[in-house]
Amino acid sequence: MNSENLSPPTAEAVKKQFDKMDLVFTVLPRGLGDKIAEITKEQGVFVNFICPGRGTATTSILDMFGIGATEKDVVLSFVKSETTANVLEKISEKMEFQKPGTGIAFAVPLQSVAGAKVLQYFTTASSGEEQSNGR
């Protein structure tokens, strides 16, 4: 029996199995996070985390930019790098981010994820593949 077949895969081999991913951050007024999840789902993104956030701007800055409430939804979306630009464009278009005070979205490349199962979930869920939950 060949011992090479029994050794665990190298980190480089594991990286090659999965698509490159970006983490898209969307910050918008409280209560609109579900709308972002709907928009990203239409673009093939199925992993979104909606977190409550709170702005720290002073009243004078809020007035200057025409922003009333400081309570925000922060949506974290795990997106395949090849589709990130399209996802950001759809979010901006549908949420009318060209208008002041409506929100902001930006992407950060994911360099690593601890745990192969987590990375596998993010990449396969984002492609719409069925997941085996081990139950």
Side-chain angles (χ1 to χ4, degrees):
M1 181 177 267
N2 188 346
S3 64
E4 290 179 18
N5 293 336
L6 299 176
S7 61
T10 64
E12 193 62 35
V14 170
K15 283 182 189 178
K16 290 181 182 179
Q17 294 176 14
F18 302 105
D19 295 321
K20 291 187 178 193
M21 302 290 293
D22 292 330
L23 183 57
V24 173
F25 290 82
T26 308
V27 181
L28 62 165
R30 180 72 51 89
L32 296 176
D34 288 330
K35 178 93 170 143
I36 297 299
E38 290 172 20
I39 293 168
T40 59
K41 187 174 182 180
E42 291 169 2
Q43 302 305 309
V45 177
F46 299 99
V47 180
N48 295 283
F49 296 103
I50 303 170
C51 310
R54 187 170 169 94
T56 59
T58 63
T59 304
S60 60
I61 292 175
L62 293 173
D63 291 341
M64 180 174 36
F65 288 111
I67 302 170
T70 60
E71 291 187 342
K72 305 290 180 193
D73 278 349
V74 179
V75 183
L76 310 176
S77 305
F78 292 86
V79 181
K80 288 185 179 179
S81 295
E82 63 196 35
T83 62
T84 298
N86 188 51
V87 169
L88 286 170
E89 182 181 324
K90 292 296 181 185
I91 290 171
S92 180
E93 175 187 309
K94 292 188 176 193
M95 299 305 295
E96 300 180 335
F97 281 179
Q98 72 277 9
K99 295 180 182 176
T102 55
I104 184 172
F106 59 93
V108 176
L110 289 177
Q111 296 299 314
S112 62
V113 174
K117 287 288 187 188
V118 174
L119 180 60
Q120 181 182 19
Y121 175 76
F122 289 159
T123 57
T124 58
S126 291
S127 66
E129 295 176 18
E130 284 296 316
Q131 294 292 308
S132 169
N133 62 11
R135 290 182 194 174

